[in-house]
Amino acid sequence: MLTSIRLVSKAAEFAARRHNGMARKGRGNEPYVNHLAEVANLLATATDGADAELVAAGWLHDTIEDTDTTREELAQRFSERVASLVAECTDDMNLPKAERRRRQVMDAPKKSAGAKLIKIADKISNIGARIQTDPSAEERDDLADYFAWATQVVAGCRGGNAWLDEKFDDAVKATRALL
Ligand code: ZN
């Protein structure tokens, strides 16, 4: 069993390598790793550093969905719980986008406590990236569309961590001020 610091550093390095060269949607086409760092740090802060596997899963949460990483590989390299948290946050990419979104809303309340926190942190980060000063009509539509859906997903995830819920509410306020 890796120490907490080793587990989290190893997850950060692995995620950075697997997502190498990818850019995220939204403001300024930031490197994808910025999104992962933000999600991991939100989780570390929300839990006051008490759950290293959760923070590691934050770094890794998009690896199965977006890179050629398998659940088995994560279980082997990290732990069964890390692999299971990431798997819970992975959409079936064979389904069309509308169906993936519908399932996230439906399945959110059934997720584990840790996966719910990752989902909230993910939505906070993705809304934040879509909030820009002077948005174009297209950017505003993209924010409105993402926001409407993310709010439904988060409604099924809330209640496990007051600080994270509050951060999401801040993102809601910032969005409403723009739309
Ligand atoms: Zn993500």
Side-chain angles (χ1 to χ4, degrees), residues 44 88 92 110 114 122 130 145 156:
E88 279 191 272
D92 180 350
K110 302 175 216 155
D122 189 43
R130 285 171 170 79
D145 172 63

Side-chain angles (χ1 to χ4, degrees), residues 32 35-36 39 61-62 122 126:
Y32 204 82
H35 166 62
L36 307 172
V39 168
H61 78 276
D62 284 325
D122 189 43
N126 287 337

Side-chain angles (χ1 to χ4, degrees), residues 12-20:
E13 191 200 359
F14 182 85
R17 288 188 190 284
R18 288 289 158 101
H19 290 276
N20 188 34

Side-chain angles (χ1 to χ4, degrees), residues 55-121:
V55 178
W59 276 107
L60 299 164
H61 78 276
D62 284 325
T63 52
I64 299 179
E65 197 170 290
D66 295 341
T67 77
D68 58 356
T69 303
T70 63
R71 185 194 197 286
E72 294 68 40
E73 187 177 12
L74 294 180
Q76 236 168 39
R77 287 179 188 261
F78 299 97
S79 72
E80 181 48 42
R81 179 166 170 248
V82 168
S84 138
L85 284 168
V86 175
E88 279 191 272
C89 297
T90 301
D91 285 351
D92 180 350
M93 295 307 276
N94 295 313
L95 298 170
K97 184 176 173 189
E99 178 60 15
R100 295 201 306 269
R101 280 187 160 196
R102 198 184 67 84
R103 287 193 185 197
Q104 276 208 36
V105 175
M106 243 172 39
D107 295 345
K110 302 175 216 155
K111 301 282 179 192
S112 69
K116 285 179 178 170
L117 299 187
I118 297 172
K119 292 205 149 276
I120 299 172

Side-chain angles (χ1 to χ4, degrees), residues 115-152:
K116 285 179 178 170
L117 299 187
I118 297 172
K119 292 205 149 276
I120 299 172
D122 189 43
K123 271 34 178 187
I124 293 170
S125 169
N126 287 337
I127 289 174
R130 285 171 170 79
I131 292 181
Q132 3 205 5
T133 37
D134 259 332
S136 66
E138 196 187 328
E139 286 164 348
R140 195 187 299 264
D141 285 352
D142 177 56
L143 171 63
D145 172 63
Y146 188 86
F147 172 77
W149 169 68
T151 309
Q152 293 179 59

